[in-house]
Amino acid sequence: MTISPKTLILPVVIALLIGGFWVSPEFQEIAAGVAIFLFGMLMLEDGFRLFSGGFLERILERATRSIPRSLAFGVVTTTIMQSSSLVSVITISFLSAGLISLIAGVGIIFGANLGTTTGAWLVAGFGMKVNISAYAMPLLAVGIIFVFQTSKYLRGTGYVLAGLGFLFLGIHHMKEGFETFKDTIDLTQFALGGLAGLIIYTLIGTFATVVMQSSHATMVLTISALAAGQITYENALALAIGANVGTTITAIIGSLTANYQGKRLALAHLVFNIATAAVALVLISPLRDAVDMISHWVGIDADDFTLKLAVFHTIFNALGITLMLPLMRRLIALIERTIREPVRDLSQPKFLNEAVDEFPATIEVAMQKEVLHLYENAVELITHGLNLHRKDLFEAKDIEAMVKASRSEIDFDIDERYEQRVKTLYSAIVEFATRATGRELPPDVVARVYQLRDVSERIVRAVKATKHLRRNATRYTQTQHGAITDLYNGLRTQIARILVEINRLELADPESRSRLWLDDELVVIEAEYRKTNAIIETMIREEKVTASVATSFLNDSNYAYKVMRELLEAARDYYAARDSALSEVEQILAMEEDDEETVT
């Protein structure tokens, strides 16, 4: 029996903590400060999640139509949230749902790396120079009051305020711990110089960030130790480089439940951060000189190493973006070759995965795209069940003539295909809808998820009705049987015409799309249904068909009109849900490339 390294991490970390507590009481305060800081990060993330009922998603939708905008979005949101982890999770979630492109996602990740440097500035410029705990207490007191309110937005505000309070409190305890620590143990005696010191402390920074899953926490710890004189300036620079590499763990973990696009984004994040770290290590001396020069220009004291560390953190992240931005498209091409799009399995969901469960907009978009996937599978079964080829149908100028000419039976097992491509996918949609609506979502999103689940049920019923219709539709249209053949061809033509019109509706511009014909068509087919029944009754009286054949046709007519009704009502409900929520998104994603800003 083999034990994975992941299984060993938790007991090793706990053992190290217990050992540290036993050896040094000061270590307890530092460890508690880290824990409080990380708890504050979690509260901050939870708070912003409660605001993700549309506001955050709409910003993302508008902000990613060009590379500069994606970069700016990554910088701004990470600066506001003080969590590149949350920004990474949101980005992977939207990418997995197909709402943004891979290049936009990479742009956001690049920007998030630069945005995360603002945390170092806040701590170095503010947290080390004032009694930050004095600000923590009011934030905690007010925040906790909001946390217990019923409104999700008030609770979100409470989580954000309390999270900031815990962040400040954690910084205070880390600072105090290191201040006391320096009087008992001098870590500077363990400091290493030269290339060996750079590599070892880079690895320590990476490991610390992987364990804490927060580069912010590693930077706060580094700045606190540096301010207390427990590590050298050069060691702190290496720790900052390592923290940037370690922060990729969040995106990697987030991509484990994502589709191949989410995994591509995590790989891009890893490649970018490793490349940036490598450049920073190679150019450490010129970068240090640049930090000294910039610090002198902006009035930072020569011995104020905490602020100079923040300058360094910003410079090497900006340098990484500057170097990688011109290579972004090549990087994406390399990643796409490395992680290839899997061979499309029509029986499996394409957009429903745990990575899109986190945010309302991605839940809704993923449902819409998956229902469309189900419909595409269903159209194949319906057309083949009527012995029609979808491509020929959608390209036909005369649908009636095309249907009459399609007399050969398409050899396939409709029951087996139904089980593989419709029933399995429908089950996944129902399961996802149940899981999604079990979360705390805005009422309008819950309503649309249920509506889309009902749309998928209508699609399934249409396929089932086609299964019943197939046998006689094939029997009476392969060869000429007189009037009854014309009647069956009439049913096939009506279903085919509806499929063509729904296809045109899908291809139409969202701004000009009109669903009014769906309601009109429902009225028309009800009239046609009554007319068909009257025709068959007349044919029985005139002895043009036998009673047995007429009865079979009436049953099949019921199935055929059921197919039509279910398809029309499914389309009506689908586009009602889709257009009300996504018209803005589709307009953004459909913009002409020459209208977008590009980086050359």
Side-chain angles (χ1 to χ4, degrees):
M1 178 179 176
T2 58
I3 301 176
S4 68
K6 184 177 179 181
T7 307
L8 292 173
I9 290 177
L10 181 60
V12 168
V13 170
I14 292 176
L16 289 174
L17 285 174
I18 293 173
F21 296 157
W22 182 266
V23 170
S24 170
E26 292 80 11
F27 177 75
Q28 293 183 28
E29 184 159 16
I30 296 172
V34 173
I36 293 169
F37 183 89
L38 290 174
F39 184 71
M41 291 279 293
L42 291 175
M43 290 199 76
L44 204 62
E45 290 188 11
D46 287 342
F48 280 111
R49 286 183 198 279
L50 290 173
F51 283 103
S52 65
F55 173 72
L56 187 61
E57 291 84 348
R58 284 194 294 272
I59 292 176
L60 179 57
E61 291 158 6
R62 292 184 176 91
T64 57
R65 65 185 185 191
S66 68
I67 295 174
R69 288 180 181 228
S70 300
L71 283 168
F73 177 83
V75 173
V76 172
T77 52
T78 307
T79 299
I80 293 172
M81 298 178 190
Q82 286 299 294
S83 174
S84 59
S85 301
L86 179 57
V87 174
S88 298
V89 170
I90 293 173
T91 306
I92 288 174
S93 180
F94 273 71
L95 184 61
S96 296
L99 193 56
I100 62 174
S101 64
L102 179 60
I103 194 167
V106 172
I108 293 171
I109 294 296
F110 282 14
N113 263 40
L114 187 58
T116 198
T117 64
T118 58
W121 281 102
L122 290 172
V123 176
F126 179 62
M128 294 294 119
K129 293 180 171 56
V130 298
N131 182 16
I132 198 169
S133 63
Y135 296 88
M137 300 309 174
L139 286 169
L140 286 170
V142 175
I144 292 301
I145 292 173
F146 281 105
V147 165
F148 287 99
Q149 303 305 306
T150 54
S151 168
K152 64 175 288 187
Y153 297 112
L154 287 178
R155 280 190 289 117
T157 302
Y159 277 114
V160 170
L161 292 176
L164 288 172
F166 281 118
L167 289 182
F168 290 173
L169 197 61
I171 291 168
H172 167 76
H173 282 289
M174 281 187 273
K175 184 176 75 170
E176 292 298 312
F178 274 109
E179 286 292 334
T180 309
F181 207 49
K182 72 178 182 181
D183 297 328
T184 56
I185 297 177
D186 184 10
L187 289 178
T188 56
Q189 63 181 310
F190 303 107
L192 295 173
L195 181 61
L198 283 174
I199 293 174
I200 288 174
Y201 274 87
T202 298
L203 293 175
I204 291 172
T206 302
F207 177 76
T209 306
V210 168
V211 171
M212 295 186 287
Q213 292 194 29
S214 171
S215 60
H216 275 72
T218 303
M219 287 303 299
V220 170
L221 202 59
T222 301
I223 290 170
S224 300
L226 181 60
Q230 290 295 295
I231 57 174
T232 67
Y233 177 49
E234 288 75 16
N235 296 154
L237 297 183
L239 285 169
I241 295 171
N244 254 43
V245 176
T247 197
T248 59
I249 190 66
T250 303
I252 292 170
I253 292 172
S255 71
L256 295 179
T257 57
N259 61 11
Y260 69 97
Q261 287 284 56
K263 291 177 173 60
R264 284 174 172 176
L265 183 62
L267 179 59
H269 194 191
L270 181 63
V271 170
F272 170 71
N273 282 31
I274 289 177
T276 301
V279 170
L281 288 172
V282 170
L283 302 178
I284 191 71
S285 294
L287 285 174
R288 189 167 48 198
D289 294 339
V291 169
D292 292 338
M293 186 183 305
I294 293 172
S295 299
H296 177 71
W297 285 347
V298 298
I300 297 174
D301 294 338
D303 59 351
D304 192 345
F305 293 116
T306 53
L307 275 177
K308 290 172 76 172
L309 177 60
V311 174
F312 173 79
H313 197 211
T314 303
I315 286 177
F316 94 80
N317 272 289
L319 176 64
I321 292 174
T322 302
L323 293 175
M324 294 297 292
L325 206 55
L327 303 174
M328 182 184 286
R329 296 187 185 279
R330 292 186 180 181
L331 171 64
I332 290 174
L334 173 64
I335 289 168
E336 288 176 341
R337 288 196 299 271
T338 305
I339 301 178
R340 296 186 179 277
E341 181 177 357
V343 177
R344 185 177 176 187
D345 185 351
L346 296 177
S347 65
Q348 296 301 316
K350 293 171 60 179
F351 303 98
L352 305 184
N353 54 68
E354 292 181 11
V356 304
D357 281 7
E358 297 295 330
F359 303 99
T362 52
I363 287 172
E364 187 180 344
V365 172
M367 272 287 284
Q368 288 166 347
K369 288 179 176 288
E370 205 62 68
V371 170
L372 184 59
H373 177 202
L374 172 67
Y375 176 74
E376 290 170 349
N377 286 2
V379 169
E380 180 186 26
L381 263 69
I382 292 170
T383 51
H384 285 186
L386 299 175
N387 298 321
L388 305 173
H389 288 285
R390 182 168 43 180
K391 183 175 181 296
D392 295 340
L393 175 62
F394 291 157
E395 293 177 356
K397 294 183 179 179
D398 187 336
I399 296 174
E400 185 178 3
M402 179 264 174
V403 169
K404 287 182 178 180
S406 301
R407 299 168 61 182
S408 301
E409 180 179 7
I410 295 177
D411 185 18
F412 80 112
D413 189 333
I414 192 169
D415 292 309
E416 180 183 358
R417 197 74 61 86
Y418 166 78
E419 292 290 331
Q420 292 176 347
R421 296 193 178 180
V422 174
K423 186 177 179 179
T424 302
L425 198 53
Y426 172 62
S427 298
I429 289 172
V430 172
E431 180 186 356
F432 179 82
T434 303
R435 187 171 75 238
T437 51
R439 296 175 176 270
E440 188 173 354
L441 297 175
D444 59 327
V445 174
V446 172
R448 285 195 289 270
V449 169
Y450 280 135
Q451 187 177 31
L452 288 165
R453 183 199 61 185
D454 294 342
V455 168
S456 64
E457 185 178 351
R458 291 188 180 281
I459 293 170
V460 170
R461 288 202 292 259
V463 176
K464 286 182 176 179
T466 305
K467 287 169 58 179
H468 292 295
L469 176 63
R470 173 172 171 75
R471 186 171 67 87
N472 283 338
T474 301
R475 175 185 176 185
Y476 288 110
T477 58
Q478 276 187 306
T479 57
Q480 185 56 244
H481 291 267
I484 197 67
T485 297
D486 295 335
L487 287 174
Y488 273 102
N489 279 334
L491 295 178
R492 293 167 71 211
T493 300
Q494 285 180 285
I495 296 172
R497 182 174 54 80
I498 288 172
L499 291 173
V500 168
E501 292 301 324
I502 292 175
N503 184 61
R504 288 174 182 165
L505 192 64
E506 172 61 25
L507 298 176
D509 189 319
E511 289 183 325
S512 61
R513 181 180 290 138
S514 174
R515 301 183 303 273
L516 295 177
W517 77 268
L518 292 167
D519 295 317
D520 294 339
E521 193 65 31
L522 281 166
V523 175
V524 170
I525 66 167
E526 292 302 329
E528 289 291 330
Y529 176 62
R530 292 190 294 271
K531 181 180 176 181
T532 300
N533 286 347
I535 290 173
I536 200 69
E537 288 174 3
T538 301
M539 293 176 70
I540 293 172
R541 286 195 300 269
E542 295 177 355
E543 298 183 350
K544 292 183 178 179
V545 294
T546 65
S548 174
V549 170
T551 301
S552 295
F553 176 78
L554 286 174
N555 287 333
D556 290 333
S557 176
N558 287 331
Y559 289 130
Y561 282 101
K562 183 177 178 63
V563 173
M564 297 179 219
R565 291 188 196 98
E566 298 294 358
L567 289 175
L568 289 170
E569 290 178 359
R572 182 183 60 186
D573 292 345
Y574 177 80
Y575 289 108
R578 176 175 172 177
D579 292 350
S580 63
L582 291 182
S583 58
E584 290 186 31
V585 180
E586 290 186 350
Q587 290 173 37
I588 290 170
L589 298 181
M591 291 187 68
E592 296 294 333
E593 288 187 3
D594 57 0
D595 290 335
E596 297 182 354
E597 299 167 48
T598 56
V599 174
T600 58

